[in-house]
Amino acid sequence: MADQEKPLIWIGSSKKDLMALPLDVRKFFGHALDFAQRGDRHTAAKTLKGFGSADVLEIIEDDPDGTYRAVYTVRFEEAVFVLHCFQKKSKRGIETPKKDMDIIRERLKKAENEAKERRHGKARS
């Protein structure tokens, strides 16, 4: 477990999207993300398939109105990057819809650039 808590950085509209989710879902995701910031992994965090390693994770929470997901990465030393928060609307199994996977891939690239900037002392405030 890390001695120092990593900052949480929201990529794209992920924070706005989180704030649009039901309150109980937001609280649950916040709790699980707190684990990630401290270098731990909440039991609800699972590796997101399609990224080749265990450093892109998703948290899944159900409520009476549906299934919600928050995707984040711990790939970079500089921070925990929240890539995407959304309600899963696909009716086909548990697979993450292609549209959402494309958003996650695009935002992962943005997170990598942000991590490089932070690493080299050029972080945006």
Side-chain angles (χ1 to χ4, degrees):
M1 194 142 142
D3 289 338
Q4 188 174 354
E5 188 174 294
K6 286 184 178 183
L8 196 61
I9 298 176
W10 304 88
I11 302 296
S13 63
S14 59
K15 187 170 188 176
K16 179 179 150 233
D17 297 339
L18 173 75
M19 297 310 290
L21 302 181
L23 180 60
D24 287 344
V25 173
R26 292 193 321 249
K27 286 181 178 180
F28 183 78
F29 286 167
H31 179 68
L33 289 169
D34 182 60
F35 273 66
Q37 286 182 272
R38 296 172 191 276
D40 209 350
R41 184 167 156 176
H42 192 277
T43 55
K46 309 291 182 209
T47 301
L48 181 60
K49 293 179 182 177
F51 290 90
S53 66
D55 55 14
V56 177
L57 300 117
E58 69 177 336
I59 309 159
I60 301 172
E61 178 68 345
D62 293 315
D63 88 343
D65 294 324
T67 299
Y68 301 88
R69 294 184 182 194
V71 178
Y72 67 96
T73 186
V74 295
R75 181 175 290 181
F76 312 106
E77 298 264 332
E78 292 74 17
V80 174
F81 292 91
V82 182
L83 304 174
H84 194 30
C85 297
F86 61 102
Q87 181 177 8
K88 184 180 176 294
K89 295 182 180 176
S90 171
K91 304 295 182 207
R92 295 180 301 141
I94 60 171
E95 186 176 304
T96 303
K98 181 185 182 318
K99 176 187 82 142
D100 292 300
M101 291 296 282
D102 290 345
I103 289 170
I104 293 163
R105 282 189 184 90
E106 176 188 323
R107 291 183 181 172
L108 184 59
K109 289 176 189 171
K110 289 180 181 178
E112 182 175 15
N113 290 334
E114 175 76 19
K116 284 178 185 174
E117 287 178 11
R118 287 176 171 271
R119 197 173 306 132
H120 299 304
K122 301 174 186 168
R124 290 178 250 143
S125 323

